Amino acid sequence: MTGPSGKTWGGRFEAGAAPEAEAFTASLRFDRRLWSHDLTGSAAWARALGRAGLLTAAEQDAILAGLDAVRAEIEGGRFPFRQELEDIHTNVERRLIELAGPVGGKLHTGRSRNDQIALDERLYLRDVIGHVDAGLRDVQEVLCDRAEAHAAAPMPGYTHLQRAQPILLAHHLLAYVEMLGRDRARLADARRRTNVLPLGAAALAGAAFPIDRSALARELDFSAPTANSLDAVSDRDYVVEFLSAAAIVGMHLSRLAGDLTLWATAEFGFVEIADAFATGSSIMPQKKNPDVAELIRGKSGRLYGNLVAVLTIMKGLPLTYNSDMQEDKEPLFDSIDTLEAILRVLPAMLRTLTFREGRMREAAGAHYSTATDLADYLVRKGLPFREAHEVVGKTVRHGIAAGKELGELSLEEFQRFSSLVGPDVHAALTVESSLAARAVLGGTAPEAVKRALAAARAAIAQA
Ligand code: ARG
């Protein structure tokens, strides 16, 4: 506005900025996405100035009308964005003055871009957390639907990626519902700490005018004003918390996507990914690649990177505001865009998976997967578990040598290793009895999984 630079802060400067410096410091390219929240915050500030007697009713109305006009221009794609004005805040303010006249110059009374950006980010993050939460809920719901549709289907459970014990596919899917439930709780918790009003902190020491910050907080739906002006303009921990929650979501979804990528191989053959969510190979005509799942798995990398970037930017910064902090935005926005992109595609991909129940059931019963059930059987007959483990180990070794699965051994073969084995042993070693035995709370027995599904649905509806 003033001085050779034409900047809002130009009064003190004799020379304009070097074009390289101007291009280097400008943040408009990325912070313009905060425009709507910047306008909302500015309108609330104008009303707060009015309540404090710093604007007459007519001045306040002129500023509010000017802000509405700016909003209409941006919404209509008619707003003249100017990079030389650095950021979204000065772009809005300059246009306000052009549209409303010199009275627009009163809006920045008692306010700094330092508390303004913290406000904009907090307002914006509140909205984002709402969208991300809804997206995670969608994923949870699809997983529950798929679990319900395959309620009785067994599959092998793995540890060390070795077949371990039979489980239900539904139990496996519901494990992810639990993870996402904790992710949603983490985001809700982060939202509580984000939802505090920084406006009124001004540059760092607090506004020099009698602003009722509690009224301002209520008007903008914040739970309270921040308690320390230095803290309000200098910390971005709400960004770090969001990025941290987003990184954990990315970690969980990368495991789900990793499971699907593995299950879609010819070696596993547990699932077929719909054509709509796979791609072909430019050279191998037979290929069907699980690209969507692979990319979901891969995107966890940038979600982690963005968290580490902002932690590193903030480390060791002297109080209070430093321009370094402007570097928080691109990582933040990238994580938001990444999560939103994942959450747009994942529910549909999950909904269109074809699970191969036959293949899974066959694998669930193979490779001595019910050996633990034989040990448990012997324990029920009174043998200490350690001895039972030894007996079963020898029985399995015999089975491998004889080329027989556990269920194919005769009673006489079983009895070679323990006289406690009776004619009821075969019934104890089926996939069904292995599953049914694990009826403990949180276990994979069909009854337990049915209850877990009902509890998960109730928790989803409540959260
Ligand atoms: N763009 C800055 C940021 O993201 C906000 C503006 C504060 N700039 C300043 N020179 N005080 O943190």
Side-chain angles (χ1 to χ4, degrees):
M1 172 119 295
T2 53
S5 68
K7 310 282 190 204
T8 41
W9 40 258
R12 185 228 176 279
F13 283 74
E14 274 176 32
E20 307 89 298
E22 198 166 272
F24 188 69
T25 53
S27 55
L28 181 65
R29 177 173 53 79
F30 46 85
D31 68 14
R32 58 189 279 173
R33 81 157 76 186
L34 298 171
W35 66 268
S36 174
H37 302 89
D38 198 75
L39 285 167
T40 301
S42 291
W45 185 244
R47 285 188 285 267
L49 290 175
R51 283 194 294 269
L54 293 153
L55 294 177
T56 65
E59 287 172 331
Q60 178 186 314
D61 289 348
I63 289 177
L64 291 176
L67 290 170
D68 282 344
V70 170
R71 184 177 289 276
E73 283 194 351
I74 299 180
E75 278 170 353
R78 287 178 279 112
F79 185 87
F81 283 106
R82 284 166 283 192
Q83 191 196 245
E84 66 280 12
L85 294 179
E86 286 184 49
D87 57 28
I88 187 62
H89 322 298
T90 40
N91 267 271
V92 166
E93 189 187 336
R94 176 65 59 85
R95 190 68 185 144
L96 169 69
I97 294 168
E98 285 170 2
L99 295 174
V103 65
K106 293 198 170 195
L107 174 63
H108 212 54
T109 306
R111 188 175 70 161
S112 158
R113 282 182 296 162
N114 297 349
D115 58 348
Q116 195 178 352
I117 183 61
L119 173 71
D120 291 4
E121 283 189 334
R122 287 171 185 265
L123 287 170
Y124 172 69
L125 256 186
R126 272 190 340 196
D127 286 353
V128 164
I129 289 174
H131 299 152
V132 171
D133 182 69
L136 291 173
R137 181 187 165 137
D138 281 352
V139 176
Q140 284 185 304
E141 275 167 357
V142 185
L143 288 168
C144 284
D145 292 346
R146 304 308 319 254
E148 191 164 356
H150 297 275
M155 65 175 286
Y158 295 83
T159 62
H160 312 267
L161 195 51
Q162 305 292 317
R163 281 188 198 162
Q165 292 174 347
I167 59 170
L168 287 184
L169 168 61
H171 197 49
H172 194 117
L173 297 176
L174 289 176
Y176 286 107
V177 173
E178 292 297 313
M179 296 176 223
L180 297 179
R182 290 192 296 278
D183 290 338
R184 292 178 63 198
R186 258 183 287 276
L187 283 166
D189 195 43
R191 188 189 190 282
R192 267 193 291 284
R193 277 181 295 279
T194 301
N195 196 31
V196 178
L197 172 89
L199 207 57
L204 75 163
F209 301 98
I211 299 294
D212 181 349
R213 296 187 66 222
S214 298
L216 191 51
R218 277 193 300 277
E219 179 179 347
L220 287 169
D221 267 328
F222 284 107
S223 64
T226 51
N228 181 299
S229 63
L230 308 179
D231 174 46
V233 297
S234 68
D235 205 356
R236 296 276 160 97
D237 59 354
Y238 49 93
V239 173
V240 172
E241 281 198 53
F242 175 82
L243 290 175
S244 156
I248 298 175
V249 170
M251 183 264 293
H252 287 149
L253 295 182
S254 79
R255 298 187 75 177
L256 173 58
D259 273 344
L260 295 176
T261 306
L262 193 63
W263 294 357
T265 59
E267 285 73 9
F268 275 77
F270 289 175
V271 79
E272 180 155 0
I273 292 174
D275 285 3
F277 296 93
T279 57
S281 158
S282 60
I283 175 167
M284 298 165 282
Q286 86 286 9
K287 288 287 294 289
K288 178 167 164 183
N289 297 327
D291 283 60
V292 172
E294 293 170 89
L295 286 170
I296 290 173
R297 188 176 58 185
K299 283 186 188 292
S300 53
R302 58 204 291 165
L303 293 171
Y304 296 5
N306 291 333
L307 168 62
V308 174
V310 176
L311 282 171
T312 310
I313 289 159
M314 297 303 296
K315 177 181 180 297
L317 285 185
L319 294 190
T320 57
Y321 180 83
N322 298 272
S323 285
D324 311 47
M325 289 155 61
Q326 177 166 299
E327 288 291 306
D328 70 340
K329 269 166 231 45
E330 286 167 288
L332 172 63
F333 296 161
D334 183 70
S335 279
I336 291 167
D337 294 346
T338 298
L339 269 188
E340 289 186 342
I342 292 174
L343 293 172
R344 263 194 300 275
V345 70
L346 180 58
M349 182 181 72
L350 293 173
R351 225 177 264 293
T352 52
L353 293 173
T354 306
F355 290 105
R356 296 233 175 82
E357 287 195 13
R359 226 359 241 210
M360 287 184 161
R361 145 167 290 284
E362 197 185 312
H367 214 82
Y368 310 95
S369 65
T370 57
T372 315
D373 298 278
L374 178 56
D376 293 346
Y377 170 92
L378 292 168
V379 165
R380 285 187 201 103
K381 304 268 175 180
L383 198 63
F385 180 77
R386 272 294 145 235
E387 286 175 47
H389 189 287
E390 173 84 14
V391 166
V392 178
K394 288 180 175 151
T395 310
V396 167
R397 183 137 52 92
H398 166 78
I400 292 170
K404 292 179 180 176
E405 282 288 344
L406 267 191
E408 293 165 355
L409 297 178
S410 66
L411 179 57
E412 182 274 321
E413 283 174 297
F414 279 116
Q415 286 174 336
R416 273 188 229 167
F417 304 97
S418 171
S419 57
L420 290 172
V421 178
D424 55 349
V425 69
H426 291 99
L429 301 182
T430 63
V431 166
E432 275 63 34
S433 54
S434 174
L435 289 169
R438 287 165 175 76
V440 69
L441 181 72
T444 198
E447 271 316 301
V449 172
K450 206 170 149 190
R451 278 196 298 276
L453 175 61
R457 288 223 195 259
I460 293 169
Q462 231 174 47

